[in-house]
Amino acid sequence: MILMTIEKKIRELYQVNPKTRILVEKIHEKAKLLEEEGYDNIRIMNFCGTHEWTITHYGIRTLMPENIELIAGPGCPVCITPGHYVDILTDLSFDEYTVLSYGDSYKLPGTRIKGIRSLFDARLHGGKTEIVYSFYDAVKKAINNKDKKYVFFAVGFETTMPSTAVPLVNNMVPENLYILSAYRLTPPIMKYLLEKHPEARLSGILAPGHVSAIIGANSWLFLPRDYGVPTVVAGFEPLDVLVAVYYILDMLLSKKPSLINEYTRVVKPEGNIYAKEMIKRAYKIIDSYWRGIGIVPSSGAIHREEYNNRDILHILGIEDKPMKDVLPGCRCPEVTLGLAKPTDCPLFLKACTPSNPYGPCMVSSEGTCKIWAENLPIRIK
Ligand code: SF4
């Protein structure tokens, strides 16, 4: 049954685009040549949770030669959002504030093991928490309910930062709407990973397509230049991923690591100039804590002084002080850094499931544990 499911997916993949089969054969040819040169374990990290979904859903790992390992990276913003932010917001939801959150952060656990662990739990216990689809929805809600106070949980990477930056800069955020900025930046975590965790042994990197549409493909030039790691900015179709793997193998073989932008239909070298300018005007870059990982230099964003009147931590004088937020038994930080697989966690699909997530990597559709849990038969190699 399991094999039939894998075969069905791969058959679909080949039917959608017959070139896929040719590409897979070429990947095998390159991998064989690399094996002859001593590359017996080529570890290619896909930064982005959406790449992980494509790889896992379509069974792309099953198509890879033995000496190629595709590993998931830190590209799930919900997974790395500090737990103490959730604690702060759940507490505020029992006070005079209504907390507004994207759906994928709604079940994110805070640091508490028992009781009210998430915004979802808070709602069940009478806290005022709601899901919104965008910051624009939050703005509309605040405008329509002037007698209430709202806090928006701003979780995300550079892709989502413009959604609050543009209204802030244009003075469009109503006075009864505040923001908790949990924004994190992507290039600094890859720099951190390569420097602090050489045991990850990255041979190549698939850089994120969505993020790069904002920050630009050139933001990843430092990976081949400073660390000698072949890097490809890739789109999210199965063929995009396979082309990116092929390019990485080609660069390894030629011993010429560089940056290739495979996703030119969306990503420009310089990115989105307007969005970058808005982010720069609204936010100040600071060293920031990543859940279970530590302080990563220049990886977070807080509001510039002129927007402090919209910053809930500033308004209430709450210190942004990380607390121990790795839940007992959860291996999410290692999963996030490519040092463990979800199946290495004893809680995977036992105490931690998509419908009842215990750890942060099981919450969002970009979380590696959730992706593996929902595509279980497909991921078996
Ligand atoms: Fe954490 Fe759950 Fe993943 Fe285990 S399965 S690492 S508990 S998120």
Side-chain angles (χ1 to χ4, degrees), residues 169 309 367:
V169 171
N309 62 348

Side-chain angles (χ1 to χ4, degrees), residues 329-332 335 342 345-349 352-353 358-362 369:
C330 175
R331 298 190 64 185
C332 200
V335 171
C345 174
L347 307 178
F348 181 69
L349 286 180
C352 186
T353 62
Y358 171 73
C361 296
M362 190 60 92
C369 294

Side-chain angles (χ1 to χ4, degrees), residues 335-367:
V335 171
T336 304
L337 293 173
L339 305 174
K341 298 183 184 108
T343 41
D344 295 329
C345 174
L347 307 178
F348 181 69
L349 286 180
K350 294 188 178 85
C352 186
T353 62
S355 56
N356 191 19
Y358 171 73
C361 296
M362 190 60 92
V363 176
S364 160
S365 55
E366 291 190 301

